[in-house]
Amino acid sequence: MADEAHRDDPPSFERPFENEDTKGRVYGAVLHAREPMTVSKIAERADCSDESARAHLSFYADLGIVVRHEGRPVRYERNDDYFEWRRVSELARKHTIDELRVRVSELTDRIEGYRDEYDADSPADVDALAFDAPRIDDVYADLGDWATALEARRLHERARRKAAGSAVSSHG
């Protein structure tokens, strides 16, 4: 029983991929990178040889999961477009067109509420420091939620259009 509870614990921050195979550790290292990284740096984070990292990175680059930046040294980074495409495809697959349309509408209402409340077009247009000190935390929370709602609406709308396009082509 104790072993089962231990397996459910989150991974340590120092070695979050230690129970993964080399391929998974390389994938995780690239996924968590904030900027293009050299093969050596990825290998270090993935706790593997440069040769292993290079082989897996080449495979991921062929799939479009990572972007290879030529130069000396070659650098790799995650392909954010790939992960967005995956998320949109997943939303389109898991939800009906009507469910996606309703979600877009709900998010639009939430966004419009923030626009009205803050008399601004986007969270970037709001100066949180202009508010009274006791309200600043709430304003920052609202601005974060607003930005999240904008992104979620964009992804759900893309998924709705994708699903609608698939429905048209499969019935045509």
Side-chain angles (χ1 to χ4, degrees):
M1 230 8 145
D3 287 340
E4 276 183 40
H6 181 66
R7 271 188 266 138
D8 291 338
D9 290 343
S12 73
F13 286 111
E14 293 80 29
R15 303 187 59 81
F17 309 108
E18 70 181 337
N19 294 327
E20 297 286 332
D21 61 9
T22 303
K23 190 178 199 178
R25 292 192 313 269
V26 169
Y27 180 83
V30 172
L31 212 60
H32 290 86
R34 299 282 181 217
E35 58 190 29
M37 294 187 334
T38 64
V39 171
S40 294
K41 187 66 176 176
I42 293 167
E44 178 185 321
R45 288 188 179 186
D47 193 26
C48 68
S49 69
D50 287 7
E51 294 77 26
S52 290
R54 192 174 290 106
H56 293 302
L57 289 165
S58 178
F59 172 74
Y60 291 137
D62 288 345
L63 293 176
I65 295 171
V66 300
V67 176
R68 176 186 163 113
H69 298 280
E70 297 298 335
R72 286 196 156 292
V74 171
R75 294 179 183 275
Y76 290 88
E77 70 176 319
R78 72 172 175 246
N79 181 355
D80 290 334
D81 291 339
Y82 167 81
F83 290 99
E84 181 173 307
W85 166 82
R86 246 180 68 177
R87 177 69 177 135
V88 167
S89 295
E90 178 183 34
L91 287 169
R93 187 178 65 255
K94 289 185 174 182
H95 300 282
T96 67
I97 296 168
D98 284 340
E99 288 171 337
L100 292 165
R101 184 182 38 73
V102 166
R103 185 65 179 138
V104 168
S105 179
E106 291 168 350
L107 289 163
T108 299
D109 289 346
R110 193 159 94 206
I111 292 163
E112 291 304 320
Y114 285 128
R115 285 181 176 154
D116 291 346
E117 181 177 347
Y118 291 100
D119 192 30
D121 289 327
S122 78
D125 297 334
V126 177
D127 178 8
L129 299 177
F131 292 85
D132 295 335
R135 188 156 177 236
I136 286 179
D137 288 341
D138 292 334
V139 170
Y140 276 121
D142 284 352
L143 297 179
D145 184 62
W146 187 359
T148 299
L150 286 165
E151 179 65 7
R153 181 180 68 176
R154 187 179 69 76
L155 294 174
H156 281 79
E157 178 56 25
R158 280 192 59 199
R160 186 198 62 76
R161 287 193 314 263
K162 179 180 179 67
S166 296
V168 168
S169 64
S170 68
H171 293 89

